[in-house]
Amino acid sequence: MSLNTLENQHVVIVGGSSGIGLATGHLVRQLGAAVTLISRDAEKLHQAAKQLDGVQTAIADFADETAISAAFADLPPIDHVYVAAGSFVGGNILEGNMADFRQAIDTRVWGSVHVVRAAVPKMNGTGSLTFTGGLSTDRPVAGAWATAVATAAAEQLARALALELAPIRVNAVSPGWTDTPMWDDIFGEEKQNVFSRVATQVLSKRLSTAAEVAQAVIFLMNSRTVTGEVIHVDSGHRLV
């Protein structure tokens, strides 16, 4: 892969203020792309912009179609879009909060649809869209059914839209356990202990970094004949 293939291209990252989205922003900037970060968290977005000199930013809630449309309205032509936004939502289906369940699915599915409808009119025929699925598609766990449905839907959306939007390429990345701030919020001080236990179970004996998932996203942006695919960055966790 040439290190100059994103030179002078415009990459939009939705959910780009932290985690895998921010790591992708760092990498595409290193490869010469202009970057727009979109996030609903104004403070995180401000901090991210300080790290990535020269990026454009827009504040918008991923699930709000009107806000996403407004965020894209004034952007210059777009080459690639990466939808990094998504979250882990737990809860027993019989007892959990329905609003939380809906948010998990709305964010990854309808949020992605909102982005597609806003972005595609500004894209050229050689561009790409990349969604974020996850390990829970293949390895769901009890108490996290909504997350499993959401990641599976995001991956299937990539396959379906690869047909509908061709020649724009549409793919997905499927991260496993990845060290991002999302898990800090979930596990707190226990995060490293939990991650260490999980690492002993996977084939590589180490978990992915946000930068490693970002590399897979860049591969999908650069690979002009890859479409309708899901790249797994999960340390072989699906197989054990």
Side-chain angles (χ1 to χ4, degrees):
M1 179 181 74
S2 170
L3 293 180
N4 297 315
T5 50
L6 294 180
E7 191 77 33
N8 300 319
Q9 296 189 40
H10 179 205
V11 177
V12 178
I13 304 172
V14 182
S17 63
S18 65
I20 296 168
L22 181 57
T24 303
H26 278 285
L27 188 52
V28 296
R29 283 293 287 154
Q30 291 172 18
L31 297 179
V35 178
T36 298
L37 302 179
I38 299 177
S39 173
R40 66 182 181 183
D41 191 314
E43 178 56 30
K44 287 184 178 179
L45 193 60
H46 175 70
Q47 295 301 320
K50 289 170 63 176
Q51 296 181 45
L52 301 178
D53 184 51
V55 301
Q56 185 171 348
T57 63
I59 300 171
D61 187 336
F62 187 47
D64 184 334
E65 183 176 12
T66 300
I68 286 293
S69 295
F72 276 86
D74 295 327
L75 294 183
I78 298 167
D79 296 285
H80 305 284
V81 177
Y82 173 43
V83 180
S87 61
F88 175 90
V89 175
N92 183 285
I93 191 170
L94 300 180
E95 301 171 357
N97 186 298
M98 285 299 296
D100 291 341
F101 295 152
R102 288 194 181 97
Q103 181 184 20
I105 296 171
D106 285 352
T107 297
R108 273 189 214 258
V109 181
W110 290 114
S112 296
V113 171
H114 298 161
V115 169
V116 168
R117 288 166 63 91
V120 167
K122 290 179 169 285
M123 297 178 68
N124 60 56
T126 61
S128 73
L129 295 156
T130 304
F131 302 135
T132 303
L135 176 65
S136 58
T137 298
D138 297 292
R139 294 292 301 272
V141 296
W145 69 273
T147 298
V149 170
T151 57
E155 294 173 18
Q156 185 66 0
L157 185 64
R159 299 183 186 99
L161 293 188
L163 295 169
E164 187 159 338
L165 299 178
I168 291 174
R169 296 175 295 104
V170 189
N171 298 287
V173 289
S174 178
W177 289 70
T178 306
D179 193 351
T180 67
M182 178 184 76
W183 296 109
D184 293 324
D185 296 336
I186 294 171
F187 293 123
E189 294 181 356
E190 280 297 305
K191 186 183 84 168
Q192 290 308 319
N193 290 333
V194 173
F195 271 47
S196 294
R197 288 197 297 271
V198 175
T200 66
Q201 302 168 13
V202 299
L203 297 182
S204 67
K205 303 305 177 187
R206 59 179 295 276
L207 302 185
S208 303
T209 66
E212 288 168 333
V213 181
Q215 289 171 359
V217 176
I218 299 304
F219 169 80
L220 292 171
M221 291 179 184
N222 280 326
S223 301
R224 298 283 295 275
T225 57
V226 178
T227 191
E229 294 293 338
V230 179
I231 292 187
H232 300 276
V233 189
D234 61 8
S235 303
H237 201 160
R238 291 171 300 125
L239 304 178
V240 296

